Amino acid sequence: PVTPSCPSLPSLREDDYDAVIIVDACCTGYGAIVRTRNSTYEVKGGWRKYIQHSAWAEPLAALEMIRWTRRMCSGKLAIVTDHI
């Protein structure tokens, strides 16, 4: 048997997370909805330089939003994106 390396398996229930980040990106920028236990935020941003494909932009946007969310929430996060 294999023991999972993560402390808990992912959940589909929003209540199991301290913040849920829904993010989408394209070659010119990104947008996200961040829902914490107390508030909901809409965040938009642009890239300093052109990114050639959304497959490259999406993980960068997710990382940017994780950093943004961590300033106010140190708990368990979920990222929702349309890229795998």
Side-chain angles (χ1 to χ4, degrees):
V2 176
T3 303
S5 61
C6 59
S8 63
L9 296 174
S11 170
L12 295 176
R13 292 173 22 100
E14 284 189 40
D15 292 343
D16 291 341
Y17 298 96
D18 297 300
V20 176
I21 303 166
I22 304 166
V23 65
D24 197 17
C26 67
C27 52
T28 59
Y30 61 91
I33 301 293
V34 179
R35 295 179 63 189
T36 66
R37 294 207 184 267
N38 302 322
S39 303
T40 301
Y41 303 91
E42 178 183 343
V43 183
K44 299 176 188 174
W47 306 119
R48 290 195 171 121
K49 64 180 193 175
Y50 183 81
I51 296 179
Q52 294 192 6
H53 197 280
S54 66
W56 298 335
E58 199 90 7
L60 292 173
L63 181 59
E64 185 70 25
M65 292 315 307
I66 289 168
R67 289 176 176 155
W68 187 90
T69 304
R70 280 291 181 219
R71 290 184 213 140
M72 66 185 137
C73 176
S74 61
K76 192 172 180 182
L77 302 181
I79 302 284
V80 180
T81 176
D82 59 354
H83 284 257
I84 295 175

